[in-house]
């Protein structure tokens, strides 16, 4: 019965979904020059870059697999 009710509700378009156009409170509240200043420049970003973090995770996964293989082979 739940399946039939769900099918009926979907066919009746009761679940219409979200708005087609997204609205931003920041864009509505500030002028365009403030929004331009708030956008980060990837070349002048001061923190750790995603590429470096991705390389670290890849090396860490390789290291964990290597340790597991050594434990399986040598006990």
């Amino acid at each position: 019965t739940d399946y039939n009710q769900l099918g009926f509700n979907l066919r009746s378009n009761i679940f219409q979904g979200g708005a087609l156009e997204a609205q931003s409170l920041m864009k509505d509240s500030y002028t365009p020059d403030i929004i331009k200043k708030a956008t980060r420049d990837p070349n002048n970003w001061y923190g750790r870059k995603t590429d470096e973090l991705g390389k670290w995770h890849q090396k860490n996964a390789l290291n964990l697999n290597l340790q597991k293989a050594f434990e399986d082979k040598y006990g």
Side-chain angles (χ1 to χ4, degrees):
T1 60
D2 292 336
Y3 183 76
N4 290 333
Q5 287 178 351
L6 179 63
F8 174 76
N9 290 337
L10 288 172
R11 286 191 302 277
S12 301
N13 199 17
I14 290 177
F15 308 119
Q16 295 179 8
L20 295 177
E21 190 174 315
Q23 294 182 356
S24 171
L25 182 62
M26 183 176 173
K27 288 183 181 178
D28 291 342
S29 302
Y30 296 104
T31 56
D33 60 326
I34 298 294
I35 295 172
K36 189 182 284 186
K37 289 178 187 176
T39 307
R40 270 194 201 134
D41 183 18
N43 296 328
N44 294 328
W45 192 65
Y46 58 89
R48 177 185 282 173
K49 295 194 184 293
T50 308
D51 293 340
E52 294 171 3
L53 187 62
K55 288 178 187 176
W56 182 88
H57 279 291
Q58 186 177 8
K59 288 181 183 179
N60 189 34
L62 184 63
N63 188 22
L64 291 174
N65 289 340
L66 184 63
Q67 286 178 356
K68 185 177 178 183
F70 276 142
E71 288 176 4
D72 290 344
K73 186 168 185 176
Y74 297 114

